[in-house]
Amino acid sequence: MARRRQAVTIKHVAADAGVSLQTVSRVINNEPNVRPSMKERVQASIDKLGYVPSIAAQRMSGSRSYLILAINDRERTIADWKSRQGTDWVDQMLLGGMLKCAEYGYRMIFELVDTHNDHVERELGATLAALQPDGVILTPPHSENPLITGFLSKRKIPFARIGSITPGPGIAMTMDDEGSARRATDHLIALGHQRIGFISGSVEYDLSTWRIDGWKNAMAAAGLQTGDLLARGDFGYDSGIAATNALLALKDPSTAIIASNDQMALAALDTLTKCGLNVPGDVSLISFDNTPVMRFTDPQLTAVDQPIAATFSKAVELLITMGDASDLAQPVVTEGGLVLRGSTAARSGSRPD
């Protein structure tokens, strides 16, 4: 029977480098007052032996836990996973967060919390007690939940609030939702569209209002009316169908539509097709999110590309290097992009009967 390989420990590294355990620990934890030559010597032994510092060992060396906790909404996350319709919000947040954590020798832990639960503080408290993270990243709607933000602030745990500009504790961060909606609207205006409908997201999320504001501001700057062109949705597919039908039923229907997420954009595309309308020949269509499925529709959908990974990467970096970042200019804004595909075109000027 093969013998199990012995794990390489900090003692092996110290012996190989000919230094003390404390010196190895200081190098591993990037502590100051370590001579460059000594750091290179210890690092050479680490590389030679293939030593990987354990979080448990690092936690014992000081007050840090080397863990960043990311919290997402349980209800919506589970619904997205079960629907299996291409939502990649969690993938992107883990991509940006985990890679940045790895750069600093940290680990990211992902947890789901029900923001509507009356016992949200108890639930969150149990998670924090078990993990003792060095920082927490909140996503909408948690980032606007005063029970959660107040709970973290009271316990002096540094945290970042993604999708929040409300004054208060924590690092406020946005993905420039208003600017993204404005740029999407400007693109359609440049194509000659004047009746640009907007399907908004759930009122539970402040970013839904920011996107409406961006659309309205772009329309106003071009001297165009928004009046009856706002259709309320909730980020769900069914609400996208209802909103699209409402925009098509107008006396002067929309020649272009912006949907506040990909699920509602897919609903809009299906609805337009069932109504015998061509995209983009009759109606141009733009989505938010830019999940992978946008590249597999017919036509492929023009979409606002939200910088989810970049925003989480920045949040991790700020929490590790600056803690509460009280001196940081806020909110921290990460600008998104607009990916042009086949669902937008110049205004046709004609529609099927």
Side-chain angles (χ1 to χ4, degrees), residues 10 22 27 50 55 119 143 145 162 166 168 170 187 219 234 241 269-270 298 344 351:
I10 191 173
Q22 290 78 6
V27 172
I55 291 179
H119 306 295
S143 45
N145 187 327
I162 306 295
T166 302
H187 172 63
M219 294 286 279
D234 61 11
I241 293 176
L269 180 60
D270 289 345
D298 185 18
T344 53
R351 298 170 58 93

Side-chain angles (χ1 to χ4, degrees), residues 71-85:
I71 298 177
N72 217 43
D73 182 49
R74 175 182 290 134
E75 183 179 351
R76 182 164 294 279
T77 302
I78 292 176
D80 287 342
W81 283 343
K82 287 183 175 180
S83 69
R84 304 182 69 180
Q85 292 182 337

Side-chain angles (χ1 to χ4, degrees), residues 30-41:
N30 294 315
E31 295 181 10
N33 302 322
V34 179
R35 297 194 310 272
S37 60
M38 184 62 68
K39 186 173 183 179
E40 290 179 7
R41 182 174 166 184

Side-chain angles (χ1 to χ4, degrees), residues 113-125 142 145 147-148:
V113 172
D114 183 3
T115 196
H116 303 293
N117 191 334
D118 292 338
H119 306 295
V120 64
E121 291 174 286
R122 185 196 311 168
E123 182 180 356
L124 183 57
H142 297 324
N145 187 327
L147 289 177
I148 294 177

Side-chain angles (χ1 to χ4, degrees), residues 195-343:
R195 295 285 291 170
I196 302 172
F198 193 90
I199 302 177
S200 67
S202 170
V203 295
E204 185 179 9
Y205 298 79
D206 283 352
L207 57 83
S208 294
T209 300
W210 303 337
R211 294 175 185 179
I212 293 173
D213 290 342
W215 164 69
K216 284 185 175 180
N217 291 338
M219 294 286 279
L224 301 175
Q225 300 296 316
T226 55
D228 54 358
L229 292 171
L230 175 62
R232 297 285 181 177
D234 61 11
F235 291 129
Y237 183 88
D238 290 341
S239 74
I241 293 176
T244 304
N245 282 325
L247 292 173
L248 294 178
L250 297 174
K251 183 177 180 181
D252 187 6
S254 302
T255 65
I257 295 174
I258 301 172
S260 283
N261 78 333
D262 285 348
Q263 294 301 309
M264 295 191 298
L266 290 172
L269 180 60
D270 289 345
T271 302
L272 292 167
T273 300
K274 289 178 181 178
C275 291
L277 297 172
N278 175 266
V279 176
D282 299 310
V283 180
S284 286
L285 180 61
I286 295 181
S287 176
F288 263 81
D289 295 342
N290 194 35
T291 55
V293 73
M294 297 296 97
R295 299 193 297 273
F296 299 100
T297 56
D298 185 18
Q300 294 183 340
L301 293 185
T302 292
V304 169
D305 189 32
Q306 290 203 94
I308 301 169
T311 302
F312 273 84
S313 177
K314 186 64 175 179
V316 167
E317 183 175 38
L318 291 174
L319 288 173
I320 292 175
T321 61
M322 301 183 67
D324 62 5
S326 57
D327 297 331
L328 184 69
Q330 298 186 43
V332 178
V333 179
T334 307
E335 187 174 302
L338 182 64
V339 180
L340 302 180
R341 299 193 180 98
S343 66

